[in-house]
Amino acid sequence: MVSCQSQTDLEALKFGTDISTLLNKLEDQHKDSNYNIPRYGYSTKQLDHFTIGNIALNTYSFDNYYNTRDNELYLAVDSYKNNQ
């Protein structure tokens, strides 16, 4: 479900729904086989495109002494072919 502000409500996403259209709207998305989650998926740092219910997510990063930390979202899918 996409709101009038072009933000996607993550709570409204249904299992088994093709998210290809959603992925096409993101400039910063890439395939990511996350070792913590043994599935196919995509990650993005453009969190300002998403909400969880009525809570808006924000894109931000900050530098510390060791490296740069960023917010990141991981969207798990059944396969890269189906994108469900």
Side-chain angles (χ1 to χ4, degrees):
M1 172 179 248
V2 179
S3 73
C4 59
Q5 300 169 339
S6 297
Q7 290 182 310
T8 301
D9 184 359
L10 295 174
E11 286 186 331
L13 292 178
K14 304 285 186 221
F15 287 106
T17 303
D18 185 349
I19 63 167
S20 297
T21 305
L22 168 64
L23 295 171
N24 290 336
K25 294 179 183 178
L26 299 173
E27 295 171 13
D28 172 33
Q29 58 85 8
H30 60 277
K31 293 179 181 178
D32 187 357
S33 297
N34 190 324
Y35 61 89
N36 294 318
I37 304 170
R39 295 199 55 124
Y40 301 105
Y42 296 89
S43 62
T44 182
K45 294 179 181 179
Q46 291 180 288
L47 272 63
D48 51 349
H49 291 279
F50 299 95
T51 64
I52 299 175
N54 58 1
I55 300 169
L57 301 179
N58 294 314
T59 300
Y60 79 90
S61 66
F62 65 93
D63 293 325
N64 62 18
Y65 294 110
Y66 304 106
N67 55 16
T68 300
R69 300 286 183 181
D70 300 299
N71 274 352
E72 191 167 6
L73 177 68
Y74 182 80
L75 299 166
V77 294
D78 64 338
S79 70
Y80 292 128
K81 180 181 177 185
N82 295 332
N83 287 325
Q84 297 180 353

